[in-house]
Amino acid sequence: MPSPGEAPPAGAPELRRLANRLKRARGQLGAVIGAVESGADCRHVITQLAAVRGALDRAGFELISTAMRDCASAPRGASAPAEGALTMEELRRLFLTLA
């Protein structure tokens, strides 16, 4: 977290949105657990479980999308990716992990 007067890190709005999306998924998962514990109808549980899975998938794709955009905006002609930056091959593998 930046100190007062310091600029937020690059991608901060995207990271906030991602964190909010994950918090909503956590809330949905809590509702699924509560439904299972209370013996709710399986149709309701499966519907809610699918919503959680969809929310997590969207969060993962959003994260990869942000990384791809950042990678694509790297200066042309750079001899190597910046330290800690994802390579296109790593992005490809991460994307396929979610697919």
Side-chain angles (χ1 to χ4, degrees):
M1 182 126 212
S3 58
E6 211 177 307
E14 292 89 356
L15 293 177
R16 271 194 299 276
R17 281 194 303 273
L18 178 63
N20 288 336
R21 185 181 297 270
L22 290 170
K23 288 174 185 177
R24 281 192 303 275
R26 179 175 55 193
Q28 289 175 312
L29 182 57
V32 170
I33 293 168
V36 168
E37 290 175 340
S38 69
D41 181 72
C42 70
R43 289 178 290 245
H44 173 74
V45 173
I46 294 297
T47 300
Q48 293 303 314
L49 196 55
V52 172
R53 187 167 96 189
L56 291 175
D57 286 346
R58 284 188 300 278
F61 285 122
E62 186 66 37
L63 186 58
I64 289 174
S65 171
T66 299
M68 289 173 73
R69 187 196 64 233
D70 292 347
C71 185
S73 66
R76 285 231 180 251
S79 60
E83 184 179 331
L86 294 170
T87 66
M88 289 307 281
E89 178 59 24
E90 289 171 314
L91 284 170
R92 185 187 72 78
R93 276 184 279 150
L94 288 171
F95 180 82
L96 292 175
T97 298
L98 290 175

